[in-house]
Amino acid sequence: MATAFVFPGQGSQATGMGRALAEAFAAARLVFDEVDDALGQRLSRLMFEGPESELTLTENAQPALMSVSIAVLRVLESEGGWQLLAKVAFVAGHSLGEYSALAAAGALQLADSARLLKLRGRAMQRAVPVGEGAMAALLGLDLAVAQEVAAAAGEGEVCACANDNAPGQVVVSGAKAAVERAIKLASERGARRSILLPVSAPFHCALMEPAAREMEEALAKVALAPPRVPLVANVTAAPVSDPETIRGLLVQQVTTMVRWRESILRLKAEGVHRLIELGAGKVLAGLAKRIDRDIEALAAGQPAEVEALLKAL
């Protein structure tokens, strides 16, 4: 039974994240120290103590989530005495989690991942003035209907599907007025519920083009090695190992939809029957169960969960 490691995206952050890991494992403390040094910032203190209002800023949440994911991985490796390649066939990450996946697979250095995500967060925030963009979850609609709703809601403004997370859970992103129109239209098309999301920018849509250009420039300066196991990419929902292809996909990812539902189904088609979410929260494990009940989904972010996972592996 093949296994894939998956890595969470923004929204899984919470004050206190990583603290228990740091208290229990030296390998986790080393990761948090390295990220702090790379950023010239006490990000770990912000993660452990808050305030939450500062932690949830995109430029802090993104490297923070990555650092917890890699801390869990390093603990598993140090305590279990094994390398990633020996235990998993693929990696994948939701949005920023793609950087965590690449760091886990040895394609990106930890310090480079932290700096890229700090820049990514700032660039995304700069791309659209606060209040001009929005995102909304359309619950109970499949992707095809959600795409029709987004197209109809645009009326000359940007409105697009940003995340295809699971059956009946699609997120739209774009200009605030257009997203508000999409919420109304979704209700008319039979959505069970549609809710504005508490985000600071409209991610994964064409409004993020300035951020994509910033990331293209930054990624061009960073060493990217072939991952030790293939990455199933957000943009294509397909495995990729070529560093230059990955570099291009990371740029495209800023403005295009995260094809998470398709990515999980592709992993299953590749023989994966167990997904293990490494890091804060259990969002991806929950989505996996909604996408395909035949896939075993586990999550590890706390010391007890890490110890249980060590036994399972």
Side-chain angles (χ1 to χ4, degrees), residues 202-246:
F203 306 133
H204 299 292
C205 75
L207 294 176
M208 289 288 108
E209 185 62 33
R213 299 284 70 81
E214 284 195 57
M215 290 310 298
E216 183 175 36
E217 188 176 328
L219 283 159
K221 301 172 184 173
V222 171
L224 199 59
R228 295 189 187 106
V229 295
L231 169 80
V232 172
N234 287 182
V235 172
T236 60
V240 61
S241 294
D242 175 66
E244 294 314 307
T245 303
I246 291 170

